[in-house]
Amino acid sequence: MSTAIENSLSVDTRVNGHAGYINGNSTSNGTPNNCTWEQQFLPPPLQLDDRARAIKIDSRLAGLMLCGATLRRVGEVFSREIENGLRERPSSLQMENTYVPELPDGTEEGVFLALDLGGTNFRVLLLELQAGQLVREDVKQYHISDALRLGPGEDLFNFLADCVQDFLRTEGMENDELSLGFTFSFPMKQHSISSGELITWTKSFKCGGMEGVDVAALLQRCLHARGLRVTVQVLLNDTTGTLVAGAQLDPAVVIGVIMGTGSNGCYMERAERVQHWEAAHERVQDVCVDIEWGAFGDNGCLSFLRTEFDKEVDDNSLLATSFTFEKYIGGKYLGELLCAVLSGLARDGLFPAIPARGSLLSAHVSLFEEENVAGVCSRTAEALRDACGRAVSRHDALVAQHVARVISNRAAQLVSVCIATLLRRMSRAHVSVAVDGSVFKRHPRIRTLMERYIALLAPNHKFSLLGAEDGSGKGSALTAAIAARIAARSL
Ligand code: GLC
């Protein structure tokens, strides 16, 4: 369900129906009502009985607390990078033409296979659409081992084709002729709606020998080698799938966002503003552009945001120095960031112990936030005891909750800057933003924070956030149906 937000400065900031209790501060959102525009971006200060400790901690966290002026600056840089990317000038934003020129219109029909690769699990789906509605969905999840995620790319793609074969056997459809939508959630150079080369791996994949390879063609070869009569009809990113699935629910959806393991967005851009076309497009008015904002700033244009904690997370990541913006937002990194900040505080004598690397996950960030909202801290203290290998006090748990709040706040702010910039760029009467991903779904206050910050950053632009389930599955099938519709029209 979505709620339209008429942007104004007095946005409802209830957190899942609770009045927020934040470290002893019982205002509804932790921000005084009479504060300035600038101040409305700052999380409330840490409140501890030991005032001196609280002040020292907040000053160590200052670099993670972004004020309105800094966020405006990020928005200006984002706008510039968008323009450069669209014009094929140097930019940290890929601004990839996805060749998806239209959205669902309720005529989508047929049975489709969908593959979803990019997050924690690999899924194979069989979906049936009737008049644009999903009437059947069979799903099977497959585990991708570290050896496959980090080994030769050929092995990974042979495994994907094995999974499709296994799935079709289970369904009794091994000999059927089927169209497939491949949701491949990594940056690509797309040549058409059904082909594209991997630019670079992100998140937890790093298979050798794959950069520059057409992943749809490789998958097609592996499927044919198994005698399967499956055709890769569309190749798409998860944000595109989310936008398409969202647009089926609400025609005002023209932006798709993922806040999951990684983070990214796409939107419908005017075709004439897109420079890169490898196909005739005279009749195309708008086209979906995959921004790849995870890489925003990789050219140094956002160095003013980077803290020592971000550097630590990046240095310890699988793909250091790339996708640095994603490392501020993505679920794969929020737990590591929490760990890096607590370790920094511990080294300064402001936290009792250094948590073991890998012991805190984004699920902990959500848990600490959930307890903070509820005004309790017993499970926070338990998780910290496991992570630190020793008991921690109630005050230490409050410190960790505060850190979780500060990094969540920054993640919400940064993704909001991107969305607000798109709203201003598109300038439509009302825009719905389809959002999917584990962070958006499980973090107790991310949605409220985003609604608040987008409204502050794009006043006078009406928007709503629409939780769009399973863009990678349903969106993939809908996109395959759209492609089939367009192909039939031009026969
Ligand atoms: C990474 C990928 C991007 C994807 C996002 C969310 O940023 O590069 O393509 O959309 O993760 O899964």
Side-chain angles (χ1 to χ4, degrees):
M1 286 294 274
S2 69
T3 359
I5 304 270
E6 184 81 62
N7 291 355
S8 75
L9 298 188
S10 56
V11 179
D12 179 7
T13 48
R14 277 170 307 151
V15 180
N16 293 338
H18 298 278
Y21 174 93
I22 303 112
N23 290 334
N25 173 349
S26 61
T27 60
S28 67
N29 57 17
T31 314
N33 287 332
N34 56 353
C35 62
T36 63
W37 180 86
E38 268 289 309
Q39 290 163 336
Q40 292 191 59
F41 291 92
L42 297 176
L46 175 61
Q47 310 229 342
L48 294 175
D49 293 346
D50 181 348
R51 289 252 318 130
R53 180 182 175 201
I55 289 170
K56 277 192 204 142
I57 291 175
D58 267 341
S59 84
R60 288 291 279 114
L61 302 184
L64 294 161
M65 299 186 195
L66 309 180
C67 67
T70 305
L71 293 170
R72 268 198 182 137
R73 184 170 165 203
V74 176
E76 281 155 20
V77 180
F78 189 58
S79 282
R80 230 175 25 237
E81 292 283 283
I82 284 182
E83 278 304 330
N84 286 339
L86 286 174
R87 289 169 197 213
E88 299 197 89
R89 294 185 187 145
S91 167
S92 57
L93 299 178
Q94 176 73 21
M95 303 305 292
E96 192 57 29
N97 186 344
T98 68
Y99 298 90
V100 174
E102 51 191 77
L103 296 173
D105 64 5
T107 61
E108 297 73 27
E109 297 276 344
V111 176
F112 299 92
L113 270 177
L115 298 197
D116 173 18
L117 181 77
T120 10
N121 285 303
F122 168 60
R123 297 182 311 152
V124 184
L125 304 94
L126 182 81
L127 304 123
E128 184 174 352
L129 299 169
Q130 275 174 18
Q133 301 293 326
L134 193 60
V135 293
R136 172 180 173 201
E137 181 174 16
D138 298 342
V139 188
K140 197 162 169 189
Q141 286 209 12
Y142 295 87
H143 174 70
I144 301 208
S145 64
D146 284 357
L148 284 171
R149 278 188 300 101
L150 308 173
E154 287 275 345
D155 292 359
L156 174 67
F157 277 68
N158 276 313
F159 174 75
L160 303 186
D162 284 341
C163 294
V164 175
Q165 187 163 37
D166 169 74
F167 178 84
L168 289 176
R169 263 186 205 143
T170 328
E171 295 280 328
M173 295 176 79
E174 214 182 341
N175 298 316
D176 290 15
E177 228 173 273
L178 288 161
S179 287
L180 180 144
F182 184 18
T183 308
F184 182 75
S185 306
F186 299 95
M188 289 181 274
K189 176 97 244 142
Q190 285 206 243
H191 301 302
S192 70
I193 198 169
S194 59
S195 65
E197 294 157 13
L198 173 71
I199 294 176
T200 174
W201 291 108
T202 58
K203 301 175 283 196
S204 41
F205 283 76
K206 195 182 178 182
C207 297
M210 283 295 295
E211 282 160 22
V213 169
D214 183 334
V215 291
L218 176 56
L219 175 67
Q220 188 67 75
R221 273 203 307 281
C222 297
L223 293 168
H224 278 161
R226 281 156 186 77
L228 298 173
R229 298 164 70 208
V230 173
T231 306
V232 181
Q233 178 113 24
V234 288
L235 173 66
L236 69 159
N237 182 261
D238 52 356
T239 51
T240 307
T242 300
L243 192 161
V244 171
Q248 192 260 339
L249 300 171
D250 173 358
V253 168
V254 279
I255 299 177
V257 170
I258 297 287
M259 292 187 74
T261 308
S263 180
N264 186 18
C266 69
Y267 69 108
M268 295 306 285
E269 178 57 281
R270 293 216 304 270
E272 77 217 24
R273 284 172 161 181
V274 178
Q275 188 91 39
H276 187 89
W277 282 97
E278 295 181 31
H281 59 281
E282 294 73 30
R283 276 180 286 166
V284 178
Q285 280 192 337
D286 295 299
V287 68
C288 174
V289 170
D290 170 13
I291 301 175
E292 289 294 332
W293 69 44
F296 180 28
D298 281 2
N299 57 0
C301 66
L302 280 188
S303 51
F304 60 94
L305 281 186
R306 194 166 157 98
T307 68
E308 65 189 280
F309 310 118
D310 299 312
K311 186 170 177 326
E312 190 176 326
V313 170
D314 188 31
D315 287 348
N316 294 324
S317 67
L318 182 64
L319 297 140
T321 70
S322 90
F323 276 66
T324 43
F325 194 68
E326 177 156 274
K327 289 171 183 155
Y328 303 160
I329 303 169
K332 175 156 174 46
Y333 308 100
L334 289 178
E336 288 167 31
L337 192 54
L338 175 65
C339 194
V341 178
L342 292 178
S343 304
L345 294 179
R347 283 192 291 270
D348 291 351
L350 295 166
F351 194 70
I354 295 187
R357 186 174 303 154
S359 61
L360 294 172
L361 309 171
S362 75
H364 290 106
V365 175
S366 291
L367 170 69
F368 294 5
E369 280 279 74
E370 201 179 298
E371 288 214 323
N372 187 352
V373 168
V376 295
C377 63
S378 58
R379 291 169 67 209
T380 304
E382 239 171 68
L384 289 170
R385 189 200 52 212
D386 294 347
C388 298
R390 53 161 284 182
V392 302
S393 71
R394 182 177 159 273
H395 283 110
D396 299 329
L398 291 181
V399 169
Q401 285 185 352
H402 182 66
V403 173
R405 178 166 206 183
V406 169
I407 62 178
S408 303
N409 195 63
R410 185 180 69 156
Q413 289 179 328
L414 293 176
V415 90
S416 298
V417 172
C418 298
I419 296 172
T421 306
L422 293 178
L423 293 179
R424 298 168 86 115
R425 178 177 180 86
M426 295 173 109
S427 214
R428 300 198 185 202
H430 173 245
V431 166
S432 278
V433 185
V435 194
D436 199 3
S438 50
V439 173
F440 186 73
K441 282 195 281 207
R442 303 207 189 107
H443 190 293
R445 86 172 120 202
I446 216 84
R447 181 192 187 115
T448 316
L449 287 172
M450 283 167 66
E451 286 174 343
R452 170 182 171 77
Y453 292 134
I454 296 168
L456 284 165
L457 291 162
N460 312 319
H461 291 265
K462 259 176 97 181
F463 72 95
S464 44
L465 301 183
L466 175 81
E469 287 285 324
D470 197 17
S472 316
K474 191 176 154 195
S476 178
L478 280 164
T479 310
I482 292 171
R485 183 172 76 212
I486 297 169
R489 211 188 289 147
S490 46
L491 284 179

PDB file of all heavy atoms in Angstrom, residues 185-187 202-203 237-239 258 262-264 290 292 294 323 326, ligand 1:
ATOM      1  N   SER A 185      21.460  -8.791 -11.808  1.00  0.00           N
ATOM      2  CA  SER A 185      21.533  -7.521 -11.079  1.00  0.00           C
ATOM      3  C   SER A 185      22.958  -7.031 -10.876  1.00  0.00           C
ATOM      4  O   SER A 185      23.448  -6.914  -9.733  1.00  0.00           O
ATOM      5  CB  SER A 185      20.801  -7.662  -9.755  1.00  0.00           C
ATOM      6  OG  SER A 185      19.501  -8.124 -10.020  1.00  0.00           O
ATOM      7  N   PHE A 186      23.582  -6.751 -11.988  1.00  0.00           N
ATOM      8  CA  PHE A 186      24.955  -6.229 -11.999  1.00  0.00           C
ATOM      9  C   PHE A 186      25.029  -5.201 -13.125  1.00  0.00           C
ATOM     10  O   PHE A 186      24.197  -5.218 -14.034  1.00  0.00           O
ATOM     11  CB  PHE A 186      25.950  -7.381 -12.260  1.00  0.00           C
ATOM     12  CG  PHE A 186      25.886  -8.434 -11.197  1.00  0.00           C
ATOM     13  CD1 PHE A 186      25.102  -9.567 -11.374  1.00  0.00           C
ATOM     14  CD2 PHE A 186      26.552  -8.273  -9.994  1.00  0.00           C
ATOM     15  CE1 PHE A 186      25.001 -10.522 -10.381  1.00  0.00           C
ATOM     16  CE2 PHE A 186      26.453  -9.232  -8.995  1.00  0.00           C
ATOM     17  CZ  PHE A 186      25.679 -10.356  -9.182  1.00  0.00           C
ATOM     18  N   PRO A 187      26.054  -4.333 -13.080  1.00  0.00           N
ATOM     19  CA  PRO A 187      26.132  -3.327 -14.146  1.00  0.00           C
ATOM     20  C   PRO A 187      26.446  -3.961 -15.497  1.00  0.00           C
ATOM     21  O   PRO A 187      27.326  -4.820 -15.593  1.00  0.00           O
ATOM     22  CB  PRO A 187      27.277  -2.413 -13.699  1.00  0.00           C
ATOM     23  CG  PRO A 187      27.991  -3.140 -12.615  1.00  0.00           C
ATOM     24  CD  PRO A 187      27.072  -4.163 -12.049  1.00  0.00           C
ATOM     25  N   THR A 202      29.773  -6.889  -8.629  1.00  0.00           N
ATOM     26  CA  THR A 202      29.601  -6.100  -7.397  1.00  0.00           C
ATOM     27  C   THR A 202      29.131  -7.067  -6.306  1.00  0.00           C
ATOM     28  O   THR A 202      29.001  -8.258  -6.551  1.00  0.00           O
ATOM     29  CB  THR A 202      28.519  -4.995  -7.560  1.00  0.00           C
ATOM     30  OG1 THR A 202      27.287  -5.615  -7.930  1.00  0.00           O
ATOM     31  CG2 THR A 202      28.889  -3.997  -8.615  1.00  0.00           C
ATOM     32  N   LYS A 203      28.854  -6.525  -5.135  1.00  0.00           N
ATOM     33  CA  LYS A 203      28.316  -7.291  -3.996  1.00  0.00           C
ATOM     34  C   LYS A 203      29.211  -8.496  -3.682  1.00  0.00           C
ATOM     35  O   LYS A 203      30.402  -8.305  -3.497  1.00  0.00           O
ATOM     36  CB  LYS A 203      26.850  -7.655  -4.276  1.00  0.00           C
ATOM     37  CG  LYS A 203      26.008  -6.402  -4.503  1.00  0.00           C
ATOM     38  CD  LYS A 203      24.589  -6.677  -4.901  1.00  0.00           C
ATOM     39  CE  LYS A 203      24.450  -7.077  -6.338  1.00  0.00           C
ATOM     40  NZ  LYS A 203      23.085  -6.997  -6.865  1.00  0.00           N
ATOM     41  N   ASN A 237      17.907  -5.652 -15.332  1.00  0.00           N
ATOM     42  CA  ASN A 237      18.416  -5.395 -13.993  1.00  0.00           C
ATOM     43  C   ASN A 237      17.253  -5.487 -12.996  1.00  0.00           C
ATOM     44  O   ASN A 237      16.103  -5.299 -13.385  1.00  0.00           O
ATOM     45  CB  ASN A 237      18.993  -3.970 -14.032  1.00  0.00           C
ATOM     46  CG  ASN A 237      19.609  -3.552 -12.746  1.00  0.00           C
ATOM     47  OD1 ASN A 237      18.995  -2.860 -11.955  1.00  0.00           O
ATOM     48  ND2 ASN A 237      20.822  -3.980 -12.519  1.00  0.00           N
ATOM     49  N   ASP A 238      17.543  -5.757 -11.715  1.00  0.00           N
ATOM     50  CA  ASP A 238      16.456  -5.864 -10.735  1.00  0.00           C
ATOM     51  C   ASP A 238      15.685  -4.554 -10.541  1.00  0.00           C
ATOM     52  O   ASP A 238      14.487  -4.565 -10.233  1.00  0.00           O
ATOM     53  CB  ASP A 238      16.950  -6.410  -9.379  1.00  0.00           C
ATOM     54  CG  ASP A 238      18.150  -5.662  -8.830  1.00  0.00           C
ATOM     55  OD1 ASP A 238      18.673  -4.766  -9.514  1.00  0.00           O
ATOM     56  OD2 ASP A 238      18.581  -5.989  -7.704  1.00  0.00           O
ATOM     57  N   THR A 239      16.356  -3.416 -10.743  1.00  0.00           N
ATOM     58  CA  THR A 239      15.620  -2.147 -10.591  1.00  0.00           C
ATOM     59  C   THR A 239      14.580  -2.023 -11.708  1.00  0.00           C
ATOM     60  O   THR A 239      13.457  -1.579 -11.473  1.00  0.00           O
ATOM     61  CB  THR A 239      16.571  -0.927 -10.668  1.00  0.00           C
ATOM     62  OG1 THR A 239      17.361  -1.043 -11.839  1.00  0.00           O
ATOM     63  CG2 THR A 239      17.471  -0.849  -9.468  1.00  0.00           C
ATOM     64  N   ILE A 258      16.148  -0.266  -5.617  1.00  0.00           N
ATOM     65  CA  ILE A 258      16.457  -1.431  -4.791  1.00  0.00           C
ATOM     66  C   ILE A 258      17.272  -0.969  -3.590  1.00  0.00           C
ATOM     67  O   ILE A 258      18.265  -0.246  -3.726  1.00  0.00           O
ATOM     68  CB  ILE A 258      17.304  -2.481  -5.574  1.00  0.00           C
ATOM     69  CG1 ILE A 258      16.539  -3.051  -6.763  1.00  0.00           C
ATOM     70  CG2 ILE A 258      17.770  -3.611  -4.636  1.00  0.00           C
ATOM     71  CD1 ILE A 258      15.416  -4.028  -6.443  1.00  0.00           C
ATOM     72  N   GLY A 262      22.577  -4.716  -2.319  1.00  0.00           N
ATOM     73  CA  GLY A 262      23.158  -3.527  -2.939  1.00  0.00           C
ATOM     74  C   GLY A 262      22.092  -2.459  -3.064  1.00  0.00           C
ATOM     75  O   GLY A 262      20.973  -2.631  -2.575  1.00  0.00           O
ATOM     76  N   SER A 263      22.449  -1.344  -3.702  1.00  0.00           N
ATOM     77  CA  SER A 263      21.436  -0.304  -3.910  1.00  0.00           C
ATOM     78  C   SER A 263      21.595   0.311  -5.298  1.00  0.00           C
ATOM     79  O   SER A 263      22.714   0.514  -5.773  1.00  0.00           O
ATOM     80  CB  SER A 263      21.541   0.781  -2.848  1.00  0.00           C
ATOM     81  OG  SER A 263      20.538   1.754  -3.084  1.00  0.00           O
ATOM     82  N   ASN A 264      20.455   0.596  -5.913  1.00  0.00           N
ATOM     83  CA  ASN A 264      20.485   1.138  -7.268  1.00  0.00           C
ATOM     84  C   ASN A 264      19.088   1.674  -7.597  1.00  0.00           C
ATOM     85  O   ASN A 264      18.118   1.405  -6.874  1.00  0.00           O
ATOM     86  CB  ASN A 264      20.866   0.016  -8.240  1.00  0.00           C
ATOM     87  CG  ASN A 264      21.066   0.493  -9.666  1.00  0.00           C
ATOM     88  OD1 ASN A 264      21.244   1.686  -9.927  1.00  0.00           O
ATOM     89  ND2 ASN A 264      21.044  -0.446 -10.605  1.00  0.00           N
ATOM     90  N   ASP A 290      18.944   2.553 -16.411  1.00  0.00           N
ATOM     91  CA  ASP A 290      19.503   1.978 -15.181  1.00  0.00           C
ATOM     92  C   ASP A 290      20.667   2.868 -14.759  1.00  0.00           C
ATOM     93  O   ASP A 290      21.691   2.931 -15.439  1.00  0.00           O
ATOM     94  CB  ASP A 290      19.961   0.537 -15.484  1.00  0.00           C
ATOM     95  CG  ASP A 290      20.766  -0.056 -14.335  1.00  0.00           C
ATOM     96  OD1 ASP A 290      20.762   0.516 -13.235  1.00  0.00           O
ATOM     97  OD2 ASP A 290      21.400  -1.106 -14.555  1.00  0.00           O
ATOM     98  N   GLU A 292      22.696   2.813 -12.014  1.00  0.00           N
ATOM     99  CA  GLU A 292      23.861   2.200 -11.342  1.00  0.00           C
ATOM    100  C   GLU A 292      24.474   3.195 -10.354  1.00  0.00           C
ATOM    101  O   GLU A 292      25.665   3.495 -10.385  1.00  0.00           O
ATOM    102  CB  GLU A 292      24.899   1.699 -12.357  1.00  0.00           C
ATOM    103  CG  GLU A 292      24.462   0.482 -13.137  1.00  0.00           C
ATOM    104  CD  GLU A 292      24.285  -0.790 -12.275  1.00  0.00           C
ATOM    105  OE1 GLU A 292      24.954  -0.921 -11.232  1.00  0.00           O
ATOM    106  OE2 GLU A 292      23.443  -1.635 -12.655  1.00  0.00           O
ATOM    107  N   GLY A 294      25.148   2.747  -7.376  1.00  0.00           N
ATOM    108  CA  GLY A 294      26.113   2.135  -6.446  1.00  0.00           C
ATOM    109  C   GLY A 294      27.528   2.624  -6.685  1.00  0.00           C
ATOM    110  O   GLY A 294      28.350   2.688  -5.774  1.00  0.00           O
ATOM    111  N   PHE A 323      32.182   0.801  -6.351  1.00  0.00           N
ATOM    112  CA  PHE A 323      30.844   0.824  -5.765  1.00  0.00           C
ATOM    113  C   PHE A 323      30.858   1.336  -4.314  1.00  0.00           C
ATOM    114  O   PHE A 323      30.300   0.735  -3.410  1.00  0.00           O
ATOM    115  CB  PHE A 323      30.169  -0.544  -5.915  1.00  0.00           C
ATOM    116  CG  PHE A 323      29.521  -0.675  -7.269  1.00  0.00           C
ATOM    117  CD1 PHE A 323      30.309  -0.694  -8.403  1.00  0.00           C
ATOM    118  CD2 PHE A 323      28.151  -0.710  -7.420  1.00  0.00           C
ATOM    119  CE1 PHE A 323      29.741  -0.753  -9.675  1.00  0.00           C
ATOM    120  CE2 PHE A 323      27.558  -0.758  -8.684  1.00  0.00           C
ATOM    121  CZ  PHE A 323      28.369  -0.784  -9.815  1.00  0.00           C
ATOM    122  N   GLU A 326      27.390   2.464  -2.872  1.00  0.00           N
ATOM    123  CA  GLU A 326      26.611   1.292  -2.443  1.00  0.00           C
ATOM    124  C   GLU A 326      27.045   0.856  -1.035  1.00  0.00           C
ATOM    125  O   GLU A 326      26.228   0.359  -0.255  1.00  0.00           O
ATOM    126  CB  GLU A 326      26.859   0.168  -3.437  1.00  0.00           C
ATOM    127  CG  GLU A 326      26.187  -1.136  -3.104  1.00  0.00           C
ATOM    128  CD  GLU A 326      26.000  -1.970  -4.373  1.00  0.00           C
ATOM    129  OE1 GLU A 326      24.987  -1.766  -5.051  1.00  0.00           O
ATOM    130  OE2 GLU A 326      26.873  -2.802  -4.682  1.00  0.00           O
TER     131      GLU A 326
HETATM  132  C1  GLC B   1      24.392  -3.487  -7.538  1.00  0.00           C
HETATM  133  C2  GLC B   1      24.306  -3.761  -9.041  1.00  0.00           C
HETATM  134  C3  GLC B   1      23.017  -3.206  -9.610  1.00  0.00           C
HETATM  135  C4  GLC B   1      21.836  -3.727  -8.802  1.00  0.00           C
HETATM  136  C5  GLC B   1      22.020  -3.405  -7.330  1.00  0.00           C
HETATM  137  C6  GLC B   1      20.888  -3.929  -6.461  1.00  0.00           C
HETATM  138  O1  GLC B   1      24.487  -2.126  -7.347  1.00  0.00           O
HETATM  139  O2  GLC B   1      25.407  -3.187  -9.717  1.00  0.00           O
HETATM  140  O3  GLC B   1      22.890  -3.573 -10.963  1.00  0.00           O
HETATM  141  O4  GLC B   1      20.668  -3.124  -9.283  1.00  0.00           O
HETATM  142  O5  GLC B   1      23.229  -3.984  -6.874  1.00  0.00           O
HETATM  143  O6  GLC B   1      20.787  -5.317  -6.534  1.00  0.00           O
END
